[in-house]
Amino acid sequence: MARPLGPVRLKKASPITLVIGGALCIFILYFVIGPSGSDFSAARKAAAASHPLSPPTSAFRKSSKNGGKPKPPPVMHYNLNNVTITHNPVENRENILILTPMARFYQEYWDNLLKLSYPHELITLGFILPKNREGNQATSELQKQIAKTQKSSPEQQRFKSIIILRQDFDPPIQSQDEVERHKMQNQKARRAAMAKARNSLLFTTLGPATSWVLWLDADIVETPPTLIQDLALHDKPLIAPNCFQRYYNTETKKMDERPYDFNNWQDSPTAQQLAAKMGPDDILLEGYKDMATYRALMAYMYKPGEDIHTEVPLDGVGGTALLVKADVHRDGAMFPAFAFYHLIETEGFAKMAKRLGWQATGLPNYKVCSFSILYFDISKVSSSCSLVFLVVYL
């Protein structure tokens, strides 16, 4: 038989217990409804977007819901006349958009990005990767580094925002092997796909506050920390440094370097005559012995010890490293995935920009370096230009 309970006597809490309990409640409430991330600077917070439909180049931070309902999309007004594009972008707090088509992830590429001395709170990163096995692996490795940098690194290393896109079309060449990628018969399809990827990335990420766009290939692993400032200092609409590649030379048994980006060039009468005989869908290719153009390649204009700020005009540009004023893209200059004056992708972009009144410039003595490879295939040497202009393609 259950025994009836008597009156329950509560033990009186001590004042110290009440004070501690009250402080604990205030502490919990602060972290639940208060601002998150005490290390998030006021400048970053002011520039952060509050809605998913805000421009993609704005950093996005989830805001608290209003009465259980999300806030309506913002109505934003932008005056592009207030967007400065100057030779001193740091002093003028100009936003930089770094765009990288990526098929493979190289840790050295990411480490080099982190070393850039341009204020990271003014840098937006944009990536586009193919939807295949290699692309999946690269995306996974990229996301790991992004999470590490954006969540755990000092605030000075964190970027303003980062955007990752996946291609909505299959790459025409599944292998990223150097030899396969540079076969002449693969070039038109490969570079057309690259042009589509670049355009998708550009049109999706270019924001109204962007001043400069830096195209940087995923295998560029060594640049001066002041790359952005150095290129912007020239105040040119399109400007390209000279890209070299480090490799192991089996003849000397030592690491060596060689010119790499042969798409930075000055046109030649021979190339123009070749183009005049081509069909409307044919394209000129640079660096192949079966199509000798005799163009002046910036890759071979490098002079050790000379002024790194020496300028040369260019008619074609590559995409390994290329700084572009955002106004050039806003004017409509894009990367043709078709034969445009018998040029395609980055070289077609330079031609299109020139038709719009924007001249490309090169810096032959300013070097950036591509990822090292450990073999040297002399059988792939091209005789495109002359003995002085020997070109190696792997």
Side-chain angles (χ1 to χ4, degrees):
M1 182 175 181
R3 180 180 177 183
L5 295 175
V8 178
R9 184 176 181 182
L10 299 175
K11 184 178 179 180
K12 186 176 181 181
S14 68
I16 295 177
T17 303
L18 292 174
V19 171
I20 294 175
L24 184 60
C25 289
I26 294 173
F27 183 77
I28 293 173
L29 287 173
Y30 175 80
F31 277 94
V32 171
I33 66 176
S36 61
S38 58
D39 63 338
F40 200 90
S41 68
R44 286 178 182 258
K45 187 182 296 184
S50 60
H51 196 278
L53 297 182
S54 297
T57 46
S58 296
F60 176 68
R61 285 168 57 83
K62 292 181 180 179
S63 58
S64 57
K65 292 184 178 181
N66 184 17
K69 296 181 180 180
K71 293 181 179 179
V75 176
M76 305 297 293
H77 297 269
Y78 297 98
N79 187 347
L80 293 181
N81 290 323
N82 295 333
V83 179
T84 62
I85 307 176
T86 66
H87 72 282
N88 193 347
V90 175
E91 181 178 319
N92 293 305
R93 304 286 295 172
E94 294 172 359
N95 289 290
I96 309 295
L97 177 61
I98 301 180
L99 298 181
T100 299
M102 179 179 288
R104 286 181 179 175
F105 177 82
Y106 295 105
Q107 183 62 46
E108 295 87 348
Y109 161 86
W110 187 260
D111 293 342
N112 187 69
L113 274 186
L114 295 180
K115 294 176 185 175
L116 291 177
S117 62
Y118 198 86
H120 286 199
E121 70 269 16
L122 298 175
I123 296 177
T124 292
L125 304 179
F127 303 93
I128 187 166
L129 301 98
K131 294 204 70 174
N132 56 15
R133 185 173 62 181
E134 283 189 324
N136 292 340
Q137 181 179 352
T139 302
S140 176
E141 294 174 4
L142 174 62
Q143 288 176 325
K144 288 178 184 177
Q145 294 304 314
I146 289 174
K148 180 180 177 181
T149 299
Q150 298 296 92
K151 293 182 179 180
S152 306
S153 296
E155 187 178 358
Q156 291 76 12
Q157 284 195 347
R158 302 180 198 176
F159 297 99
K160 179 181 178 181
S161 63
I162 300 176
I163 304 148
I164 300 177
L165 305 180
R166 300 301 299 274
Q167 291 176 193
D168 56 357
F169 55 89
D170 295 327
I173 303 172
Q174 295 299 321
S175 173
Q176 286 300 308
D177 177 75
E178 285 275 345
V179 175
E180 192 67 25
R181 285 172 56 214
H182 288 295
K183 284 183 178 177
M184 187 174 181
Q185 62 268 30
N186 291 337
Q187 290 314 293
K188 186 175 181 180
R190 184 183 76 86
R191 298 194 65 188
M194 278 295 300
K196 292 178 182 178
R198 289 185 187 276
N199 290 332
S200 296
L201 183 57
L202 173 66
F203 298 153
T204 306
T205 58
L206 184 64
T210 303
S211 295
W212 298 89
V213 179
L214 174 63
W215 291 96
L216 197 66
D217 273 2
D219 57 356
I220 298 301
V221 297
E222 186 180 338
T223 70
T226 54
L227 173 68
I228 296 172
Q229 298 95 306
D230 292 343
L231 298 184
L233 181 65
H234 292 259
D235 199 22
K236 300 295 183 181
L238 300 82
I239 189 163
N242 213 348
C243 183
F244 281 66
Q245 183 182 58
R246 302 195 190 282
Y247 72 102
Y248 182 74
N249 191 329
T250 57
E251 294 181 357
T252 62
K253 307 298 182 183
K254 295 179 181 179
M255 290 301 294
D256 204 345
E257 66 178 24
R258 61 184 173 209
Y260 185 68
D261 193 342
F262 297 95
N263 293 330
N264 295 309
W265 44 258
Q266 296 172 342
D267 212 354
S268 68
T270 301
Q272 294 172 7
Q273 290 168 9
L274 286 173
K277 300 174 184 178
M278 286 182 163
D281 296 326
D282 295 333
I283 62 171
L284 286 166
L285 297 171
E286 191 53 56
Y288 293 89
K289 60 185 179 181
D290 295 331
M291 190 181 290
T293 62
Y294 296 96
R295 288 165 171 159
L297 307 182
M298 188 175 78
Y300 293 102
M301 298 179 188
Y302 174 66
K303 296 179 181 178
E306 296 288 329
D307 182 11
I308 63 171
H309 293 291
T310 298
E311 299 177 359
V312 296
L314 295 177
D315 297 304
V317 297
T320 51
L322 177 68
L323 186 67
V324 182
K325 289 186 176 182
D327 282 352
V328 177
H329 287 308
R330 290 193 182 104
D331 275 2
M334 39 76 80
F335 301 89
F338 51 88
F340 182 76
Y341 289 84
H342 304 290
L343 302 172
I344 199 169
E345 204 221 345
T346 56
E347 294 164 296
F349 165 65
K351 183 67 173 181
M352 190 176 296
K354 193 167 186 176
R355 293 283 294 167
L356 290 166
W358 304 103
Q359 173 63 48
T361 301
L363 301 179
N365 299 324
Y366 192 105
K367 288 201 302 185
V368 300
C369 286
S370 176
F371 188 76
S372 304
I373 59 176
L374 301 180
Y375 58 89
F376 181 75
D377 189 351
I378 195 68
S379 67
K380 301 297 180 181
V381 171
S382 164
S383 58
S384 170
C385 299
S386 69
L387 286 176
V388 178
F389 283 77
L390 287 178
V391 179
V392 178
Y393 274 90
L394 296 185

